Amino acid sequence: MRIITAATVLAGPDLETLERGAVVVDDDRIAWVGPESEIPREYDGVEALDLGELTLLPGLIDAHVHLGFDGGPNPVARMISENDARQVATMLRSARELLSCGVTTARDLGSRDLLGVDVRDAILDGTAEGPRMLVAGPAITVTGGHCWFMNGEVDSPDEMRRMVRRLHKGGVDCFKVMSTGGNMTPGSAPWHAQFPVDELAIAVEEAHRLGKTVAAHAHGVEGIRRALAAGVDTIEHCSFQTHDGSDGYDEALGNAIAASHTAVSPTCSARMKDVMRLMPWRRFALGDLYRAGATIIASTDSGIDNNPHWAFVHALEAMLMAGMSPRDVLLSATSVSARVLGIDHIAGSIAPGLSADLLAVAGDPRENISVLHDLRLIVARGRDFAPDPVPAFEPLDDDALPELFRRMLEAHAAEREPAEVV
């Protein structure tokens, strides 16, 4: 047991200011929170850690990661080529990278077979260090569909029901369905819907019967519409992507999402800063959805091409660039995510009874997200974690952007070229 005191504690689900606050940590749980001057006498003599003028806040949540992807230039090729033992090694390294940037809870939305379950359990029992993991196992897709190589292919309502039940039996925490194709799988188009509404609804029905949630990967408008109609819990990406990669934001659909119980997990990655810088004319649906009042949770798709797991704070800064306020970005990465993921009774806030997942920084992240780059303390489930060195985050030039965005840059340049004078 110990007492951690700080000039400011961001307490409760609303990140309320507690000046000269104190947090009593008992094993892996928060036992008491309040003003330092009111610490109960029963804690007299308990070991104390005074953080001075620092701010203490809850650990961060990344609602969409892929531990089995390494964040390098060819993560899919690496996943396909690695055997299970090497994949687990990659996943454990990815977990340490997440924790090193303050992510104390993460949701893995697609790994090969049930390797994510083993990695989650190795972290929970102390064999390895990393965030608390919520794992979906292989993403459920059509045969030959987006991320087919994770081994979650289904082609009928019965197969969908059977797959959900099989993954539940294997110990997953949640489920991932590919409502549309994606950018990383050859032969798969992100603007094409992959499942009819009734098959998506079967996944939701089975998951909710089991007390678990469904995340739907959806880029194109039709896939987003079907996922919403099926009642999924989160829509991943929700980018309204068209065949040429341009914006296809549907205001009526955006308003329907905002009025629903479905949250948006925009996977606003660290690399979105590069995309926004190189394509300032590009309209991003995140800003529209935020202004419409949709529930937004912080997510990055970390692990995909050139999107490392240790760059979470850069992704939060990209959410600011998309139009969110610093306070709402921080809430999306703490209590709002915890509520949407169904773990607000476990994590997401500094409150008695919750997990002791804590960070300390110099400054107020509700006003300046960038202070999260300099973490002075990381506590995960009551244990201090010494972060691994985080590399410098180098901006990409247009040659290193994903193919879709390179095509968009080329098309925009062609449109702006002056007409030839004859």
Side-chain angles (χ1 to χ4, degrees), residues 337-390:
S337 272
R339 174 173 56 80
V340 169
L341 301 184
I343 57 168
D344 52 343
H345 62 295
I346 297 172
S349 304
I350 297 180
L354 299 193
S355 179
D357 301 328
L358 307 167
L359 306 177
V361 295
D364 190 339
R366 296 169 301 181
E367 299 176 358
N368 179 11
I369 284 290
S370 297
V371 301
L372 295 172
H373 284 300
D374 183 17
L375 298 176
R376 307 296 180 86
L377 177 71
I378 300 174
V379 180
R381 301 178 301 284
R383 295 179 54 191
D384 289 6
F385 175 73
D388 297 330
V390 175

Coordinates of all heavy atoms in Angstrom, one line a residue, residues 337-390:
S337 N -14.0 6.1 -23.2 CA -13.7 4.8 -23.8 C -14.0 3.7 -22.8 O -14.5 2.7 -23.2 CB -12.2 4.8 -24.1 OG -11.9 5.2 -25.4
A338 N -13.7 3.9 -21.5 CA -14.0 2.9 -20.5 C -15.5 2.6 -20.5 O -15.9 1.4 -20.5 CB -13.5 3.3 -19.2
R339 N -16.3 3.6 -20.6 CA -17.8 3.4 -20.6 C -18.2 2.6 -21.8 O -19.0 1.6 -21.7 CB -18.5 4.7 -20.5 CG -20.0 4.6 -20.6 CD -20.7 5.9 -20.3 NE -20.2 7.0 -21.2 CZ -20.6 7.2 -22.4 NH1 -21.4 6.4 -23.0 NH2 -20.1 8.2 -23.1
V340 N -17.8 3.1 -23.0 CA -18.2 2.4 -24.2 C -17.7 1.0 -24.3 O -18.4 0.1 -24.8 CB -17.7 3.2 -25.4 CG1 -17.8 2.4 -26.7 CG2 -18.4 4.6 -25.5
L341 N -16.5 0.7 -23.8 CA -16.0 -0.7 -23.9 C -16.5 -1.5 -22.7 O -16.2 -2.7 -22.7 CB -14.4 -0.6 -23.8 CG -13.7 0.2 -24.9 CD1 -12.2 0.0 -24.8 CD2 -14.2 -0.3 -26.3
G342 N -17.3 -1.0 -21.9 CA -17.9 -1.8 -20.8 C -17.0 -2.1 -19.6 O -17.2 -3.1 -18.9
I343 N -16.0 -1.2 -19.4 CA -15.0 -1.5 -18.3 C -14.9 -0.3 -17.4 O -13.9 -0.2 -16.7 CB -13.6 -1.9 -18.9 CG1 -13.1 -0.7 -19.8 CG2 -13.7 -3.2 -19.6 CD1 -11.6 -0.9 -20.1
D344 N -15.9 0.6 -17.4 CA -15.8 1.7 -16.5 C -15.9 1.4 -15.0 O -15.7 2.2 -14.2 CB -16.9 2.8 -16.9 CG -18.3 2.2 -16.9 OD1 -18.5 1.0 -17.0 OD2 -19.2 3.0 -16.9
H345 N -16.3 0.1 -14.7 CA -16.2 -0.3 -13.3 C -14.9 -0.9 -13.0 O -14.6 -1.3 -11.8 CB -17.3 -1.5 -13.1 CG -17.0 -2.7 -14.0 ND1 -17.1 -2.7 -15.4 CD2 -16.7 -4.0 -13.6 CE1 -16.8 -3.8 -15.8 NE2 -16.6 -4.7 -14.8
I346 N -14.0 -0.9 -14.0 CA -12.6 -1.4 -13.8 C -11.6 -0.3 -14.0 O -10.6 -0.2 -13.2 CB -12.3 -2.5 -14.7 CG1 -13.2 -3.7 -14.5 CG2 -10.8 -3.0 -14.7 CD1 -13.1 -4.8 -15.5
A347 N -11.7 0.5 -15.0 CA -10.7 1.5 -15.4 C -11.3 2.7 -16.0 O -12.5 2.9 -16.1 CB -9.7 0.8 -16.4
G348 N -10.4 3.7 -16.3 CA -10.8 4.9 -17.0 C -10.9 6.1 -16.2 O -11.0 7.2 -16.7
S349 N -10.9 6.0 -14.9 CA -11.0 7.1 -14.0 C -10.1 6.9 -12.7 O -9.8 5.8 -12.4 CB -12.4 7.4 -13.5 OG -13.3 7.5 -14.6
I350 N -9.9 8.0 -12.0 CA -9.3 7.9 -10.7 C -10.4 7.9 -9.7 O -10.9 9.0 -9.4 CB -8.2 9.0 -10.4 CG1 -7.1 8.9 -11.4 CG2 -7.7 8.9 -9.0 CD1 -6.0 10.0 -11.3
A351 N -10.8 6.8 -9.2 CA -11.9 6.7 -8.3 C -11.7 5.4 -7.4 O -11.1 4.5 -7.9 CB -13.2 6.6 -9.0
P352 N -12.2 5.5 -6.2 CA -12.1 4.3 -5.3 C -12.7 3.0 -5.9 O -13.8 3.1 -6.5 CB -12.9 4.7 -4.0 CG -12.8 6.2 -4.0 CD -12.9 6.6 -5.5
G353 N -12.0 1.9 -5.8 CA -12.5 0.7 -6.3 C -12.0 0.3 -7.7 O -12.0 -0.8 -8.1
L354 N -11.5 1.3 -8.4 CA -11.0 1.1 -9.8 C -9.5 0.7 -9.8 O -8.8 0.8 -8.8 CB -11.2 2.3 -10.7 CG -12.6 2.8 -10.9 CD1 -12.7 3.8 -12.0 CD2 -13.6 1.7 -11.1
S355 N -9.1 0.2 -10.9 CA -7.7 -0.2 -11.1 C -6.8 1.0 -10.9 O -7.1 2.1 -11.4 CB -7.5 -0.9 -12.4 OG -6.2 -1.2 -12.6
A356 N -5.6 0.7 -10.3 CA -4.7 1.8 -10.1 C -3.8 1.9 -11.4 O -2.7 1.5 -11.5 CB -3.8 1.5 -8.9
D357 N -4.4 2.6 -12.4 CA -3.8 2.9 -13.6 C -3.6 4.4 -13.6 O -4.5 5.2 -13.8 CB -4.6 2.5 -14.8 CG -4.9 1.0 -14.8 OD1 -4.1 0.2 -14.4 OD2 -6.0 0.6 -15.3
L358 N -2.3 4.9 -13.5 CA -2.1 6.3 -13.2 C -0.9 6.8 -14.0 O 0.1 6.0 -14.3 CB -1.8 6.5 -11.7 CG -2.8 6.0 -10.7 CD1 -2.2 6.0 -9.3 CD2 -4.1 6.8 -10.8
L359 N -1.0 8.0 -14.4 CA 0.1 8.7 -15.1 C 0.4 10.1 -14.4 O -0.6 10.7 -13.8 CB -0.2 9.0 -16.6 CG -0.7 7.8 -17.4 CD1 -1.1 8.4 -18.8 CD2 0.4 6.8 -17.5
A360 N 1.6 10.5 -14.5 CA 1.9 11.9 -13.9 C 2.6 12.7 -15.0 O 3.5 12.1 -15.7 CB 2.8 11.7 -12.7
V361 N 2.2 13.9 -15.1 CA 2.8 14.8 -16.1 C 3.0 16.2 -15.5 O 2.4 16.5 -14.5 CB 1.9 14.9 -17.4 CG1 1.9 13.6 -18.1 CG2 0.6 15.5 -17.1
A362 N 3.8 17.0 -16.2 CA 4.0 18.4 -15.8 C 3.1 19.3 -16.6 O 3.3 19.4 -17.8 CB 5.4 18.9 -15.9
G363 N 2.0 19.8 -16.1 CA 1.0 20.6 -16.8 C -0.3 19.9 -16.8 O -0.6 18.9 -16.2
D364 N -1.3 20.6 -17.5 CA -2.7 20.2 -17.5 C -3.0 19.6 -18.9 O -3.2 20.4 -19.9 CB -3.6 21.3 -17.2 CG -5.0 20.9 -16.9 OD1 -5.4 19.8 -17.4 OD2 -5.8 21.7 -16.3
P365 N -3.2 18.3 -19.1 CA -3.5 17.7 -20.4 C -4.9 18.1 -20.9 O -5.2 17.9 -22.1 CB -3.3 16.2 -20.2 CG -3.6 16.0 -18.7 CD -3.0 17.3 -18.0
R366 N -5.7 18.6 -20.0 CA -7.1 19.0 -20.5 C -7.0 20.3 -21.3 O -7.9 20.6 -22.0 CB -8.0 19.3 -19.3 CG -8.3 18.1 -18.4 CD -9.0 18.4 -17.1 NE -8.1 19.3 -16.3 CZ -8.4 19.8 -15.1 NH1 -9.6 19.4 -14.6 NH2 -7.6 20.6 -14.5
E367 N -5.8 21.0 -21.2 CA -5.6 22.2 -22.0 C -4.5 22.0 -23.0 O -4.5 22.7 -24.0 CB -5.2 23.4 -21.0 CG -6.3 23.7 -20.0 CD -5.9 24.8 -19.0 OE1 -4.7 25.2 -19.1 OE2 -6.7 25.1 -18.2
N368 N -3.6 21.1 -22.7 CA -2.5 20.9 -23.6 C -2.1 19.4 -23.7 O -1.4 18.9 -22.8 CB -1.2 21.7 -23.2 CG 0.0 21.5 -24.1 OD1 -0.1 21.0 -25.1 ND2 1.1 22.0 -23.6
I369 N -2.7 18.7 -24.7 CA -2.5 17.3 -24.8 C -1.0 16.9 -24.9 O -0.5 15.9 -24.4 CB -3.2 16.7 -26.0 CG1 -4.7 16.7 -25.7 CG2 -2.7 15.4 -26.5 CD1 -5.1 15.6 -24.7
S370 N -0.2 17.8 -25.4 CA 1.2 17.5 -25.7 C 2.0 17.3 -24.4 O 3.1 16.7 -24.5 CB 1.9 18.7 -26.5 OG 1.2 18.8 -27.7
V371 N 1.6 17.7 -23.2 CA 2.3 17.4 -22.0 C 2.4 15.9 -21.8 O 3.3 15.4 -21.0 CB 1.7 18.1 -20.8 CG1 1.7 19.6 -21.0 CG2 0.3 17.5 -20.4
L372 N 1.5 15.1 -22.5 CA 1.6 13.6 -22.3 C 2.8 13.0 -23.0 O 3.1 11.8 -22.8 CB 0.3 13.0 -22.9 CG -1.0 13.4 -22.2 CD1 -2.2 12.9 -22.9 CD2 -1.0 12.8 -20.7
H373 N 3.5 13.8 -23.8 CA 4.8 13.2 -24.3 C 5.8 13.0 -23.3 O 6.8 12.2 -23.5 CB 5.3 14.2 -25.4 CG 4.6 14.2 -26.7 ND1 4.5 13.1 -27.5 CD2 3.9 15.2 -27.3 CE1 3.8 13.4 -28.6 NE2 3.4 14.7 -28.5
D374 N 5.7 13.7 -22.2 CA 6.7 13.7 -21.1 C 6.1 13.1 -19.9 O 5.7 13.8 -18.9 CB 7.3 15.1 -20.8 CG 8.4 15.1 -19.8 OD1 9.0 14.0 -19.6 OD2 8.7 16.1 -19.3
L375 N 6.1 11.7 -19.8 CA 5.5 11.0 -18.7 C 6.5 10.9 -17.6 O 7.6 10.4 -17.8 CB 5.0 9.7 -19.1 CG 3.9 9.6 -20.2 CD1 3.6 8.2 -20.6 CD2 2.6 10.3 -19.7
R376 N 6.1 11.4 -16.4 CA 7.0 11.3 -15.2 C 6.8 10.1 -14.4 O 7.6 9.7 -13.5 CB 6.8 12.6 -14.4 CG 7.0 13.9 -15.1 CD 8.4 14.1 -15.7 NE 8.5 15.3 -16.4 CZ 8.7 16.5 -15.9 NH1 9.0 16.6 -14.5 NH2 8.8 17.6 -16.6
L377 N 5.6 9.4 -14.5 CA 5.3 8.2 -13.8 C 4.2 7.4 -14.6 O 3.3 8.0 -15.1 CB 4.7 8.6 -12.4 CG 4.2 7.5 -11.5 CD1 5.4 6.7 -11.0 CD2 3.3 8.0 -10.4
I378 N 4.4 6.1 -14.6 CA 3.5 5.2 -15.2 C 3.2 4.1 -14.2 O 4.1 3.4 -13.8 CB 4.0 4.6 -16.6 CG1 4.3 5.7 -17.6 CG2 2.9 3.6 -17.1 CD1 4.9 5.1 -18.9
V379 N 1.9 4.0 -13.8 CA 1.5 2.9 -12.9 C 0.4 2.1 -13.6 O -0.6 2.7 -14.0 CB 1.0 3.5 -11.6 CG1 0.5 2.4 -10.7 CG2 2.0 4.4 -10.9
A380 N 0.6 0.8 -13.8 CA -0.3 0.0 -14.4 C -0.8 -1.1 -13.4 O 0.1 -1.9 -13.0 CB 0.2 -0.7 -15.7
R381 N -2.0 -1.1 -13.1 CA -2.6 -2.1 -12.1 C -1.8 -2.1 -10.8 O -1.5 -3.1 -10.3 CB -2.7 -3.5 -12.8 CG -3.5 -3.5 -14.0 CD -3.6 -4.8 -14.7 NE -2.3 -5.3 -15.1 CZ -1.6 -4.8 -16.2 NH1 -2.2 -3.9 -16.9 NH2 -0.5 -5.3 -16.5
G382 N -1.4 -0.9 -10.4 CA -0.7 -0.7 -9.1 C 0.8 -0.9 -9.1 O 1.4 -0.6 -8.1
R383 N 1.3 -1.2 -10.3 CA 2.8 -1.4 -10.3 C 3.4 -0.4 -11.2 O 3.0 0.0 -12.3 CB 3.1 -2.8 -11.0 CG 2.7 -4.0 -10.1 CD 3.0 -5.3 -10.8 NE 4.4 -5.4 -11.2 CZ 4.9 -6.3 -12.0 NH1 4.1 -7.2 -12.5 NH2 6.2 -6.3 -12.3
D384 N 4.5 0.2 -10.7 CA 5.3 1.2 -11.5 C 5.9 0.5 -12.7 O 6.4 -0.6 -12.6 CB 6.4 1.8 -10.7 CG 5.9 2.8 -9.6 OD1 4.6 2.8 -9.4 OD2 6.7 3.4 -8.9
F385 N 5.9 1.2 -13.8 CA 6.5 0.6 -15.1 C 7.5 1.6 -15.6 O 7.3 2.8 -15.7 CB 5.4 0.4 -16.1 CG 6.0 0.0 -17.5 CD1 6.5 -1.3 -17.6 CD2 6.0 0.9 -18.5 CE1 7.0 -1.7 -18.9 CE2 6.5 0.5 -19.8 CZ 7.0 -0.8 -19.9
A386 N 8.7 1.1 -15.8 CA 9.8 1.9 -16.3 C 9.7 1.8 -17.8 O 10.0 0.8 -18.4 CB 11.2 1.4 -15.9
P387 N 9.3 2.9 -18.5 CA 9.1 2.8 -20.0 C 10.3 2.6 -20.8 O 11.4 3.0 -20.4 CB 8.5 4.2 -20.3 CG 9.0 5.1 -19.2 CD 9.1 4.3 -18.0
D388 N 10.2 1.9 -21.9 CA 11.3 1.7 -22.8 C 11.5 3.0 -23.5 O 10.5 3.8 -23.7 CB 10.9 0.6 -23.8 CG 10.8 -0.8 -23.2 OD1 11.4 -1.0 -22.2 OD2 10.0 -1.6 -23.7
P389 N 12.7 3.3 -24.0 CA 12.9 4.5 -24.8 C 12.0 4.6 -26.0 O 11.8 3.6 -26.7 CB 14.4 4.4 -25.2 CG 15.0 3.5 -24.2 CD 13.9 2.5 -23.9
V390 N 11.4 5.8 -26.2 CA 10.5 6.0 -27.3 C 11.2 6.7 -28.4 O 11.8 7.7 -28.2 CB 9.3 6.8 -26.9 CG1 8.4 7.1 -28.1 CG2 8.4 6.0 -25.9

